[in-house]
Amino acid sequence: SQQGEEDPQALSIQEGENATMNCSYKTSINNLQWYRQNSGRGLVHLILIRSNEREKHSGRLRVTLDTSKKSSSLLITASRAADTASYFCATDANAGGTSYGKLTFGQGTILTVHP
Amino acid sequence: ETGVTQSPTHLIKTRGQQVTLRCSSQSGHNTVSWYQQALGQGPQFIFQYYREEENGRGNFPPRFSGLQFPNYSSELNVNALELDDSALYLCASSLGQARHTIYFGEGSWLTVV
């Protein structure tokens, strides 16, 4: 079963604009991760934020986490046509060690960036 | 390029048949997980192997089984295929610790007719 919802389901913007995607989840987590998937291909890890972190940056990506609301957001700044893809949040509810990596994914947001 | 290789990339099977999908993990990664992704959905966790032992299983029936070999490569086997098994099957490898990134392969597209 899916962990939660991603919002919006689809997002269409112009190059240079910012894109914000939201993710909600249901259970307590150890960390939350964001992945990118180009059409029908494998997942590419973008960024991981731990449950004790509130914000994290990586290049043009900014991720926030609000554990009290069980929600996260991914912001892509100055978007490019090459950012067109599906974006998924995934939660890892386990305590680490050998239990790490059993991810629960959301439904994804389809981002289209027009040149 | 994630260093995780899956084969075959595409295959078509008939309902009731059996299928084996293969995954070669990134060098040194002792943890491999398999996910099923139906069209338009997010991936769903099938099971995980750590050092050749099953280390957790999602909500999938026993006809989904797996193996991890001493070189940490892995197989996913599905028996008695059903039409709903049509999906992208993804393999993911990691060092099994929270600070390490999980790397996904490109997946195997299975169509059951």
Side-chain angles (χ1 to χ4, degrees):
Chain A
S1 61
Q2 301 295 324
Q3 166 71 293
E5 300 293 324
E6 290 187 62
D7 169 52
Q9 291 186 340
L11 180 60
S12 182
I13 60 175
Q14 296 295 128
E15 238 178 356
E17 294 181 338
N18 295 341
T20 299
M21 289 160 267
N22 302 296
C23 165
S24 63
Y25 57 92
K26 297 175 183 175
T27 63
S28 296
I29 62 170
N30 176 269
N31 65 70
L32 184 144
Q33 306 175 34
W34 285 89
Y35 287 85
R36 167 196 168 119
Q37 185 177 40
N38 289 343
S39 180
R41 305 196 66 189
L43 296 164
V44 175
H45 180 268
L46 295 176
I47 195 165
L48 180 153
I49 186 165
R50 302 188 195 288
S51 59
N52 61 354
E53 297 176 311
R54 292 296 167 257
E55 186 170 314
K56 205 161 183 180
H57 296 256
S58 177
R60 293 184 296 113
L61 306 180
R62 172 178 169 255
V63 169
T64 62
L65 179 65
D66 187 335
T67 52
S68 67
K69 295 181 180 178
K70 291 187 169 57
S71 67
S72 174
S73 67
L74 171 68
L75 169 67
I76 304 174
T77 60
S79 64
R80 306 165 182 167
D83 294 330
T84 296
S86 293
Y87 291 82
F88 294 91
C89 69
T91 55
D92 192 337
N94 297 294
T98 62
S99 295
Y100 172 67
K102 304 182 187 78
L103 302 177
T104 304
F105 284 84
Q107 302 270 18
T109 294
I110 301 171
L111 173 65
T112 304
V113 182
H114 300 280
Chain B
E1 184 62 48
T2 64
V4 179
T5 306
Q6 292 189 241
S7 63
T9 54
H10 294 82
L11 71 166
I12 300 173
K13 290 286 189 177
T14 303
R15 190 171 49 183
Q17 285 188 316
Q18 178 265 345
V19 68
T20 297
L21 308 178
R22 295 180 174 82
C23 174
S24 176
S25 302
Q26 193 175 100
S27 178
H29 282 189
N30 55 21
T31 301
V32 64
S33 302
W34 285 90
Y35 293 82
Q36 180 195 66
Q37 185 178 20
L39 203 60
Q41 302 292 315
Q44 291 200 41
F45 173 74
I46 303 175
F47 45 58
Q48 183 183 84
Y49 279 80
Y50 172 69
R51 294 183 176 176
E52 303 176 55
E53 297 287 331
E54 187 177 295
N55 185 44
R57 188 178 185 90
N59 189 27
F60 282 81
R63 58 189 186 84
F64 285 77
S65 62
L67 282 173
Q68 187 183 32
F69 299 101
N71 65 356
Y72 300 138
S73 64
S74 174
E75 285 182 358
L76 164 66
N77 298 289
V78 187
N79 294 322
L81 284 167
E82 301 177 0
L83 297 179
D84 284 349
D85 295 334
S86 295
L88 178 66
Y89 288 85
L90 295 162
C91 167
S93 78
S94 71
L95 280 172
Q97 297 177 44
R99 66 179 181 273
H100 293 286
T101 301
I102 298 173
Y103 295 91
F104 281 81
E106 292 292 324
S108 293
W109 276 104
L110 171 65
T111 302
V112 182
V113 297

